[in-house]
Amino acid sequence: MSEIRLLEQVSSFLTRNNGHYINGRAVNGSGSERFPVVNPSSGEVIAEVNEGTAEEVNAAMDAARAAFTGSWAQTSPMERGNCLNRLAELLQQHREELAQLESLCSGKIIQLSRLFELDQSSHFMRYFAGWASKISGETMSLSLPSMQGEKYTAFTRREPVGVVVGIVPWNFSIMIAVWKMAAALACGCTIVLKPSEFTPLTLLRVAELAKEAGIPDGVINVVNGSGRTLGPLLIGHPHCAKVSFTGSVPTGIAVGKEAMADNLKRVTLELGGKNGAAFLADVTPDAMVNGILEAGYMNQGQICAAAERFYLPKSHIDEVLQKLAQRLSQLHIGASLDESTEFGPLANRAHYEKILALFDKARQEGNEIVYGGNALQGPGFFVEPTIIRAKSAQDLLMREETFGPVCTFLAYEEEEELIAMMNDSPYGLAASLWTNDLSKALRMVDRIESGTLWINMHNFLDPALPFGGIKASGIGREFGSAFIEHYTELKSVMVRY
Ligand code: TXE
C-alpha cells in the first residue's frame, strides 16, 4: 500500500461550489439541483456538482458563438496554434494535480492518468497546434472550355464549421475532450464541452488553464449535467453547427439522429464495438499472453479500442489461457491513488452492475469462466479481471460490448475461418493481428473490416494516424489530416475575368 497524498489544490478544488465554465469564468449554475461525484475506489461521494439547465446551455452556446465570430475569428492561425501549445505546457505544469483529480473521479490508476490523460493529451494538443497554421484550400484550373474568350479561375477554402458541441464519455475524460477541443480550435471553431456526469470535474480545471494560456473567453465552455437532458438542448441549439460525440453505440445513434433531424447538423461519432484480436499459430504462448494483456485489460478494459473477442489457434488455447490466468492472478488490484496498483476499480456503479449482470449471463449461457467472473469484496466498484471461454461465435459475450476487463476466447483451426470470425460483427472500430509472418499479415490487411488494424500491437493511438470506426462503430475520423474535413466546410470560389 502506498496511497499518495492528495495535493492541496485537489482537496480544495473538491470543496468548491463546482458547476460549469462559461465565457471565461467558473459559474455555479442557476438551478438548485446538484449531483454527486463518487470515488470508484471507495464508493464515497467526494464532491457535488451543479446540474445544468437550459440557462447554462444558452449562455455557453451564446458565448461560443460570440467568440466564433469575434475574438477567435480575429486570432491569427499562428496565434491559435501558440495558444494550444501554451495550454499543452500548462497541462504538463499541472500534471499531478489533474492526474489526481482524474483518478479520484474515474478510478483510473494514477500512472495511467499521468501518462495518458496528461502526457498524451499534451502531445495531441501540440500536434493539433501545428495544424492551425496549415489549413488551406486548393487553386484549380477549370475544366470546361471558354465560350467567348473569357477566362476563369477558382479556389477552395476550408472554413470553420462554427460552434462545436463536444460530448465526452467517462473513460478518458481529459484526453478525449482534448482531441475534440484542439481539433476544433485549430480549425477556427469554438466549443461547448459536455463531460460525462461521472467525471465532471477535470474539464472545469482544464478550461481555467485554457484562459491562463491566453485562449479568449467563450472559446472553450463546459456545461455539466445529465446527457439525456442537456444533450438534446445542446444539439438542438440554433448555434450548434456540429456535434462531436464519443461514447456508447446506442447513445451515439440517438445523437446522430437528433443532429440529422435538426437541419442536418454535422456529426462525428466515435463509438465502441466489439473489437477482435487474432493470434496466428507462429506466435509463442508467452507472447500471446503479453499481447492479450495489452489488448484487453488496460484501464480495466474501459477503452473503446480495447479487444474483447480473442481468437487463438486450437493447438495453443489451453496453454495460453492457463498462463494468462496465472498472470492475472498476480496483478495488484487496488485503489486508483495507490502507486503500486496495476488494476483499479470500474469507473462507476452503473457500469459495475452491468458487468456483474454480464457475468451472470455468461454463466447462464454455459460459458466456461476460466478465471475471475466475480465482484471483489470491500468498498468500491472492483471486479476480477476475467477470462471467458466461449462455446461459439454466437455467444452473447462474443457479440455484446462489455467495456470491462472481460476477455472472451474462441479457438480456430483454419486461417480462412479466422478472417470470417473477425468480420462477423456489426461493429468495426479496431482490431489486431499478431504474427511473426509480416507477409501473411499484410495479405490479411485488406480483408479485415475495421477502422484501425494493429499488427503485433493494440491500443496505441497516434495523433498523426486517423482514428475512427466503420460499420456501427461510428462516422468520421479524428487525427491525422482527416480531422480537418470534419471541423471545416469546403467553400468553392469561382472567378470570371
Ligand atoms: O455512456 P453514454 P454511459 C459504454 C459502456 C457503459 C455504457 C453506458 O459499456 O457501460 O456505454 O455508459 C452523454 N444525448 N460506453 O451511459 O450514454 C453522457 O452524458 C446526448 C462505451 O456513460 O454513451 C456522456 O457525456 N448526450 C464508450 C456521453 O454521452 C448524451 C464510452 C457518453 O454517455 C445522451 C462510454 C443523449 N441522449 C461508455 N445520453 C466507448 N466505447 O467509448 C447520454 N449522453
Side-chain angles (χ1 to χ4, degrees):
M1 250 317 247
S2 49
E3 187 118 353
I4 52 177
R5 242 167 62 89
L6 276 194
L7 293 175
E8 165 53 30
Q9 302 94 297
V10 176
S11 314
S12 62
F13 190 83
L14 293 174
T15 58
R16 272 172 34 170
N17 194 8
N18 281 309
H20 321 276
Y21 191 88
I22 298 172
N23 207 17
R25 61 190 190 91
V27 171
N28 296 340
S30 57
S32 57
E33 266 188 60
R34 302 183 70 73
F35 63 93
V37 184
V38 174
N39 176 355
S41 298
S42 65
E44 285 166 7
V45 175
I46 51 169
E48 285 194 336
V49 175
N50 179 265
E51 171 78 41
T53 65
E55 199 166 312
E56 283 74 49
V57 168
N58 289 336
M61 296 301 288
D62 287 349
R65 178 70 197 171
F68 174 68
T69 54
S71 57
W72 202 232
Q74 287 147 24
T75 305
S76 70
M78 183 63 86
E79 180 51 19
R80 284 183 210 145
N82 293 342
C83 285
L84 290 174
N85 276 322
R86 287 194 294 267
L87 181 52
E89 188 54 44
L90 284 167
L91 290 181
Q92 283 301 296
Q93 283 172 25
H94 293 262
R95 178 180 191 253
E96 187 59 19
E97 173 195 345
L98 282 162
Q100 290 189 4
L101 199 53
E102 178 59 31
S103 286
L104 269 177
C105 299
S106 70
K108 182 174 296 113
I109 63 172
I110 187 73
Q111 287 91 339
L112 276 190
S113 288
R114 291 175 186 141
L115 291 174
F116 283 86
E117 298 282 22
L118 280 308
D119 298 352
Q120 287 284 63
S121 291
S122 299
H123 292 316
F124 275 87
M125 187 83 82
R126 291 197 167 98
Y127 176 84
F128 284 110
W131 271 113
S133 53
K134 292 162 198 72
I135 293 168
S136 59
E138 294 175 296
T139 55
M140 51 256 287
S141 305
L142 292 177
S143 56
L144 293 176
S146 146
M147 303 277 188
Q148 294 165 327
E150 78 283 17
K151 291 198 159 193
Y152 299 92
T153 190
F155 59 95
T156 58
R157 288 169 51 78
R158 283 270 168 203
E159 298 183 348
V161 287
V163 176
V164 174
V165 167
I167 301 179
V168 182
W170 43 256
N171 59 331
F172 283 94
S173 59
I174 301 178
M175 191 166 70
I176 293 175
V178 160
W179 298 345
K180 298 183 187 315
M181 155 200 324
L185 269 55
C187 289
C189 301
T190 57
I191 194 160
V192 177
L193 289 162
K194 212 300 282 168
S196 165
E197 40 278 61
F198 296 110
T199 49
L201 293 178
T202 37
L203 289 185
L204 294 174
R205 191 68 190 107
V206 171
E208 291 178 353
L209 295 178
K211 182 167 176 131
E212 215 175 306
I215 296 176
D217 292 352
V219 173
I220 297 173
N221 307 273
V222 180
V223 180
N224 271 310
S226 141
R228 286 219 185 115
T229 319
L230 297 185
L233 293 174
L234 288 162
I235 299 165
H237 195 283
H239 293 334
C240 167
K242 176 208 162 71
V243 185
S244 175
F245 173 87
T246 302
S248 63
V249 175
T251 306
I253 292 173
V255 163
K257 277 187 188 163
E258 262 171 61
M260 284 291 108
D262 194 17
N263 293 318
L264 301 180
K265 282 179 177 164
R266 305 305 186 241
V267 65
T268 44
L269 303 171
E270 198 267 276
L271 313 178
K274 191 77 187 171
N275 306 304
F279 290 78
L280 303 194
D282 64 89
V283 180
T284 64
D286 286 327
M288 287 188 190
V289 169
N290 287 336
I292 296 162
L293 288 169
E294 174 182 321
Y297 294 97
M298 203 199 292
N299 199 31
Q300 294 76 258
Q302 300 165 129
I303 300 180
C304 54
E308 297 198 358
R309 301 181 278 142
F310 290 81
Y311 302 97
L312 302 186
K314 196 172 178 200
S315 51
H316 290 51
I317 192 164
D318 292 333
E319 182 184 354
V320 171
L321 295 191
Q322 191 206 335
K323 286 187 166 195
L324 179 63
Q326 171 81 20
R327 290 281 292 278
L328 293 181
S329 71
Q330 291 162 354
L331 283 178
H332 179 230
I333 303 178
S336 61
L337 286 180
D338 185 330
E339 293 272 10
S340 62
T341 298
E342 294 169 302
F343 185 91
L346 294 177
N348 55 70
R349 180 174 294 284
H351 190 46
Y352 168 78
E353 282 167 0
K354 176 184 138 180
I355 297 293
L356 295 186
L358 283 168
F359 288 156
D360 288 345
K361 283 192 190 158
R363 288 193 173 90
Q364 282 157 21
E365 277 206 341
N367 292 144
E368 181 191 350
I369 300 191
V370 178
Y371 185 83
N374 297 298
L376 285 165
Q377 282 293 319
F381 310 133
F382 291 91
V383 299
E384 292 173 314
T386 296
I387 302 172
I388 291 184
R389 192 158 173 175
K391 296 193 308 308
S392 87
Q394 302 317 313
D395 291 359
L396 182 82
L397 272 275
M398 289 297 287
R399 309 200 73 79
E400 191 170 301
E401 183 179 44
T402 69
F403 210 61
V406 187
C407 296
T408 307
F409 294 83
L410 198 59
Y412 72 88
E413 287 181 84
E414 301 293 330
E415 281 169 16
E416 277 308 306
E417 176 199 11
L418 174 65
I419 290 177
M421 283 167 145
M422 284 288 279
N423 291 340
D424 180 20
S425 171
Y427 309 112
L429 182 63
S432 61
L433 190 56
W434 301 74
T435 173
N436 297 308
D437 186 340
L438 203 52
S439 159
K440 193 181 261 182
L442 290 174
R443 281 168 198 270
M444 288 184 170
V445 164
D446 64 346
R447 302 185 64 199
I448 293 182
E449 296 167 1
S450 167
T452 290
L453 175 63
W454 286 291
I455 297 172
N456 297 329
M457 59 194 290
H458 202 112
N459 274 334
F460 279 69
L461 298 182
D462 187 285
L465 196 64
F467 177 66
I470 62 166
K471 303 201 272 187
S473 290
I475 294 176
R477 292 290 179 273
E478 306 195 84
F479 322 149
S481 58
F483 83 95
I484 296 169
E485 196 181 315
H486 300 287
Y487 287 86
T488 58
E489 293 286 5
L490 193 59
K491 179 179 280 176
S492 298
V493 181
M494 190 170 166
V495 184
R496 179 159 59 203
Y497 64 98

